[in-house]
Amino acid sequence: MGEKVVAGPFDLSDRQRYREKLQKCLAGLERLLAEKRFDRPKNLMGLEIELNLAGPDGMPKMLNGQVLERIASRDFQTELAMFNLEVNIAPHRLGDRVFDRLAEELRTSLAYADRKAGEVDAGIVMTGILPTLGRDDLVSSNLSEVDRYALLNDQIVAARGEDFRLDIEGVEHLRCTSRSIVPEAACTSVQLHLQVTPDRFADVWNAAQAASAAQIAVGANSPFLFGHELWRESRPPLFLQATDTRPPELQAQGVRPRTWFGERWITSAHDLFEENLRYFPPLLPICDDEEPLEVLDAGGVPKLAELVLHNGTVYRWNRPVYDIADGVPHLRVENRVLPAGPTITDVIANAAFYYGLVRAFAEESRPVWTRLPFEAAEANFDAACRYGIDARFTWPRRGRYGGGTAEVDAVTLVRDELLPLAAAGLDAWGIEAADRDFYLGVIEERCRKRVNGASWQAATFHQALEKGHGREEALAATTRRYAELMHAGEPVHTWPVGLPEPVPLG
């Protein structure tokens, strides 16, 4: 959304001028693409992780300002609510032992942040949705004290014109309302960035869309919200409903939600930016002084500030990003599919699976998106969110007599078809075999045991209930045990289900 957003009232002329600036930015992007002004391939990837703050009792702590003050590092930033932080890892070149290096950087950063959080009786918990969050935690007064969050909340609330309705039917059924977008803050995610050339952008984005269901199936880690067991990955339906500017009448008309899987395979990056302008009214009509076409005429590189800001308020699961580094523009695909956690090893394994699979998909002679209807890819994503490791997908048939699609178990698809592709993709990036085999081996073990973060959380919660804990205490105990195992660092497929037995005294 950008760092420097200053709150203030908007009038009709602001919105009209902003819309005109957006069109100029889009024309500027077209010129940059036509003139081939973008950065050359550098195989750069980036990583961001959203985090939760919780106390020793497993309950959320609204202390991000105090914790960030103690951390005092630009690598850590605020997120939407006071129990959120975000850590950003500097871009790395894909190749060699990059995944081991990333894991080591993350361990160092998160251990330091956790120590600093401990000074105010809090700790870092890396999970998709903190199981102990209650409705009273997700209210406007717990928004982070940053202008841009209050302004975004005000504009989305104004656009909707009524309370937000959360209605998610999974293992249990959650129905409630909210007067703000703050429930969206429950969603803590991993964002994987990949810098790509314009010529490769469409293939990489299509590949990322096709891969997203498998990512969720093996990586789901968000089974609880407000004390209810919902989908295995409850972030997508929660994010959609908590940011939905459409009242029921616009939903019935088929108006697109701002949290969006998309509706078609694309042919260029321009397709996505143009759709964002065509379908989504601006929420933050803040105009920059730059005239992008004049900058281009003078041989410069425009910031396209309005386009970048607007793009940040359309929540695609695979988002196009325009940015400038060292005076040269570039494009990235930002993959926003994955929940945070459970451990750093799991996060890096998920990243290795994604980068390998996207490379392999994008370079296939008959790419998967030419054989899979877009509607099927979206249905696969939905099934993965609902059922996690137990999902079933529609997928193109393989082999000599291939043609059409068939239903396949997600674990079978990942183990037999997608992991070998991911391994080939990592080889193409130049990843060393030791890194490739270790991190993809984590995904393979999750498939073999049919375990991911969501299945462990649910199984441990139910075991706590069976032992006589009430629901709230079972969720708190599950969260405390999760945090303990998360900090120990062994990947989730090795975690014993259930709570540790109390040690007898004497």
Side-chain angles (χ1 to χ4, degrees), residues 47 50 84 118 132 138 143 145-146 180 192 213 223 233 255 299 336 341-342 353 358 367 395 401 430 467:
L47 180 67
E50 295 163 351
N84 298 144
T132 49
L138 293 166
L143 274 171
E145 294 177 355
V146 179
S180 74
L192 301 173
E233 188 51 51
V255 172
R336 306 172 60 250
F353 181 54
V358 162
W395 200 255
Y401 304 107
K467 290 191 172 183

Side-chain angles (χ1 to χ4, degrees), residues 200-213 215 265-266 318 333 335 354 357-364 367-369 395:
R200 299 294 292 155
F201 185 94
D203 286 349
V204 171
W205 187 86
N206 290 338
Q209 289 283 96
S212 60
Q215 287 181 271
W265 305 116
I266 64 165
N318 287 289
V333 172
N335 177 262
Y354 168 74
L357 190 55
V358 162
R359 175 77 183 246
F361 275 173
E363 295 185 351
E364 283 185 308
V368 63
W369 58 89
W395 200 255

Side-chain angles (χ1 to χ4, degrees), residues 135 166-170 172-176 225-226 228 230:
R135 289 182 60 187
L166 302 183
D167 188 342
I168 305 172
E169 188 168 5
E172 298 171 319
H173 194 169
L174 171 68
R175 286 195 192 96
C176 62
L225 177 66
F226 298 164
H228 291 68
L230 300 174

Side-chain angles (χ1 to χ4, degrees), residues 380-456:
N380 288 344
F381 180 74
D382 185 74
C385 293
R386 287 177 183 271
Y387 305 114
I389 202 93
D390 296 318
R392 296 186 67 80
F393 298 153
T394 298
W395 200 255
R397 286 192 180 93
R398 279 198 303 166
R400 188 171 170 187
Y401 304 107
T405 58
E407 188 177 272
V408 61
D409 175 71
V411 160
T412 302
L413 176 68
V414 171
R415 192 180 54 216
D416 295 351
E417 185 172 343
L418 302 188
L419 276 171
L421 282 172
L426 293 179
D427 289 343
W429 287 121
I431 300 296
E432 284 197 18
D435 259 23
R436 177 200 67 203
D437 294 345
F438 176 75
Y439 289 107
L440 293 186
V442 170
I443 306 296
E444 186 171 13
E445 282 298 295
R446 284 191 219 152
C447 289
R448 188 176 71 81
K449 295 184 175 182
R450 300 187 83 93
V451 167
N452 57 21
S455 69
W456 182 90

